[in-house]
Amino acid sequence: MPGKNFVLRTTPQETAAAAEAAVGDLARRLVQRFLDDPSRPAPDDRTQALALLHVLDHLQKAAERLQQEAVVAGARAGAGYPQLGAACGMTRQGARRRWPGLFDHSHDKPTEQPIMTTPARPFDVLLVEDDVADAMLIEEALSERGARNLVQVTDGVAALEHLRAPETARPDLIVLDLNMPRMNGRELLKVLKSDEDFQTIPVVVLTTSTAPDDVTGAYSSHANAYVTKPVNLEEFEQAVQSIDAFYLDTAARPRP
């Protein structure tokens, strides 16, 4: 079944010991083959050591290429980043950083969520966020959900300039922080929801604030949703992907 965790009958330590022994034996046999030349003098210890190092280097590169092929095969078979990471003893984020771009939602590449349909065009998301680290996390989380044209600006003034530029595509979703310089998220939200050109674009407030006044104020200004940023990275990613899944996959979107 797609995404099902694999089970080996060995411990990680036993697997590592067996793999190390097998690689060492293969490397020594290859060295012996390469140095076994009757016309040459017997190799000394330094030559043996350097030859072994040379062979091990190429074995490592070969293993990396084979690992890449296995990762793609696993993704095509339905494994996601959590399963791929677990197979290599790393976290989901570590697997995503090591093998970026594995998952999109086209017909000719692997997909982490095969039940999703491919949109006629990439979705356009406007991120209004001045925190660089949070912006990177949001971008990474959205990249796993499929093709996204993500534009990030750092305050409300820049957001309005972008939206009002003639060449700008109308966003399918706006993700908005509250606390920013120049024009903050509270002020921008009021402008967006009072402008006939922008008021039907879904706006989700994603912020660190849990203050009741901020929550009430956002909904009073007609925010479509208010989400508090989780502190845990996994939960942060899940929150962003839940926003994306609902507003870009589940909810009906207004026509431009």
Side-chain angles (χ1 to χ4, degrees):
M1 123 176 237
K4 184 177 181 180
N5 291 333
F6 69 94
V7 178
L8 290 178
R9 294 182 178 178
T10 60
T11 66
Q13 293 78 10
E14 290 171 337
T15 303
E20 186 173 324
V23 169
D25 180 64
L26 174 60
R28 285 187 290 272
R29 286 191 285 113
L30 287 173
V31 168
Q32 188 61 41
R33 181 193 303 175
F34 297 150
L35 295 180
D36 191 12
D37 185 349
S39 65
R40 295 183 179 181
D44 56 21
D45 290 343
R46 185 178 68 172
T47 301
Q48 290 271 12
L50 293 176
L52 182 61
L53 181 62
H54 174 77
V55 168
L56 287 171
D57 178 64
H58 282 272
L59 284 175
Q60 181 180 16
K61 292 174 181 175
E64 289 172 355
R65 289 191 294 271
L66 292 172
Q67 187 179 54
Q68 178 69 29
E69 293 176 5
V71 164
V72 173
R76 290 188 186 280
Y81 277 123
Q83 291 79 31
L84 297 172
C88 297
M90 64 180 71
T91 64
R92 175 182 185 170
Q93 289 90 347
R96 189 174 64 236
R97 285 192 295 269
R98 185 165 181 178
W99 302 294
L102 273 180
F103 303 109
D104 65 22
H105 302 291
S106 65
H107 295 295
D108 58 347
K109 292 184 180 179
T111 172
E112 190 169 9
Q113 294 172 303
I115 61 172
M116 290 179 58
T117 57
T118 303
R121 61 171 178 79
F123 290 121
D124 293 291
V125 179
L126 175 61
L127 173 61
V128 190
E129 170 66 73
D130 65 329
D131 187 291
V132 176
D134 283 355
M136 290 179 64
L137 287 172
I138 293 168
E139 181 178 6
E140 288 182 2
L142 290 178
S143 69
E144 287 193 26
R145 293 278 308 146
R148 302 288 181 268
N149 292 327
L150 179 68
V151 174
Q152 183 215 347
V153 295
T154 56
D155 59 54
V157 173
L160 291 175
E161 290 174 348
H162 172 75
L163 288 167
R164 290 170 175 164
E167 69 278 7
T168 296
R170 176 187 173 86
D172 297 289
L173 174 67
I174 296 175
V175 180
L176 174 63
D177 189 21
L178 288 184
N179 300 310
M180 296 177 292
R182 295 202 294 179
M183 178 186 289
N184 63 37
R186 303 169 188 82
E187 297 165 330
L188 175 60
L189 181 60
K190 292 178 180 178
V191 173
L192 293 175
K193 291 303 183 179
S194 62
D195 190 310
E196 291 185 358
D197 292 332
F198 307 133
Q199 62 188 199
T200 59
I201 301 174
V203 178
V204 176
V205 174
L206 181 62
T207 181
T208 57
S209 174
T210 59
D213 287 347
D214 282 336
V215 178
T216 301
Y219 284 117
S220 297
S221 297
H222 307 292
N224 295 85
Y226 189 104
V227 179
T228 301
K229 294 177 181 176
V231 176
N232 179 275
L233 292 180
E234 289 275 359
E235 294 175 358
F236 188 105
E237 182 182 77
Q238 291 171 4
V240 173
Q241 292 182 344
S242 296
I243 293 169
D244 183 276
F246 179 76
Y247 284 100
L248 298 183
D249 288 340
T250 304
R253 292 181 300 279
R255 293 182 178 274

